[in-house]
Amino acid sequence: MSTAAETTGGEAEPWEEVTPDAARRLLVAAVEAFAERGYHATTTRDIAGRAGMSPAALYIHYKTKEELLHRISRIGHDKALDILRTAARREGSAKERLADAVSSFVRWHAGRRTTARVVQYELDALGPGARAEILGLRRQVDAEVRGIVEDGVAAGEFDVLDVQGTTLAVLSLCIDVARWFNIDGPRTPEAVGELYAELVLRMVGAK
């Protein structure tokens, strides 16, 4: 399955944020190349070739290979933050909101596993400015999950001694799905999302 057609719950991944079409094709090709070969082993010629374009055409839309990675990472982190923020702000108990946050976050990392691997594991390839921006988004991601856990502790729904450490463990568990998930395996992204939501609720001692 190509990166352009990765799904979660049947929803297509159109990269509608990226225009024009040539820029989108290059970005999709870059995601596939970075996931397969790693950022440092991928050349701009590799990316252009996958997109069916010349290396010169790439520079019309992206000045550098790093700019491509930064765009991919920014879009991916914005999506991840939106998923968690939506769950955190929904009505319901902390238990319900945490289960929703985890299942949604895991579904994205499973259904968009190629994209998610690049977004989550190529951060160190970014320059200082871009890296600082993405780290800021990661802190917001952490804050959304930590906020739900804190709400659960305050309401007596969760039994957590170390909120910060537990938040890190929850996020690490969810993100790692992108590393191992296989679309041809026995579980769907939805099934993995449900399983991980149950595991996390046990982790926080949900009552």
Side-chain angles (χ1 to χ4, degrees):
M1 182 183 293
S2 73
T3 304
E6 284 183 335
T7 63
T8 177
E11 179 189 357
E13 170 78 304
W15 292 97
E16 71 274 4
E17 304 93 338
V18 183
T19 58
D21 180 67
R24 185 183 303 113
R25 284 164 51 201
L26 286 163
L27 184 140
V28 168
V31 170
E32 293 172 348
F34 294 158
E36 181 182 315
R37 306 187 62 185
Y39 175 81
H40 292 294
T42 298
T43 66
T44 53
R45 184 175 294 276
D46 293 332
I47 296 168
R50 285 174 183 260
M53 301 167 68
S54 70
L58 184 148
Y59 294 111
I60 295 173
H61 303 283
Y62 302 98
K63 295 178 182 178
T64 64
K65 185 175 69 168
E66 185 193 338
E67 184 179 332
L68 261 168
L69 178 61
H70 181 211
R71 187 78 191 277
I72 293 163
S73 191
R74 177 65 200 235
I75 292 172
H77 279 87
D78 280 343
K79 179 61 178 176
L81 181 57
D82 181 64
I83 288 169
L84 294 173
R85 187 168 281 161
T86 298
R89 284 155 176 69
R90 58 163 282 192
E91 294 185 1
S93 65
K95 177 180 177 180
E96 291 169 334
R97 289 185 287 128
L98 184 60
D100 186 19
V102 169
S103 61
S104 300
F105 202 46
V106 166
R107 285 200 307 272
W108 187 81
H109 280 84
R112 307 282 204 272
R113 63 208 170 282
T114 307
T115 300
R117 282 200 301 272
V118 176
V119 168
Q120 299 293 0
Y121 297 117
E122 293 289 356
L123 175 65
D124 288 341
L126 292 172
R131 189 171 187 274
E133 178 187 347
I134 300 304
L135 286 174
L137 290 172
R138 290 195 175 199
R139 285 191 290 271
Q140 293 181 59
V141 164
D142 180 274
E144 293 298 335
V145 176
R146 188 173 65 252
I148 302 174
V149 176
E150 288 173 343
D151 287 348
V153 171
E157 295 182 50
F158 301 157
D159 183 11
V160 176
L161 296 177
D162 183 346
V163 171
Q164 184 174 353
T166 300
T167 299
L168 176 61
V170 170
L171 288 171
S172 297
L173 189 69
C174 296
I175 289 169
D176 194 56
V177 170
R179 184 184 57 80
W180 62 261
F181 184 79
N182 182 355
I183 194 65
D184 297 319
R187 297 181 188 272
T188 64
E190 291 75 18
V192 178
E194 291 177 7
L195 172 63
Y196 274 48
E198 180 181 343
L199 292 174
V200 167
L201 290 179
R202 292 182 182 182
M203 184 187 299
V204 298
K207 297 179 174 59

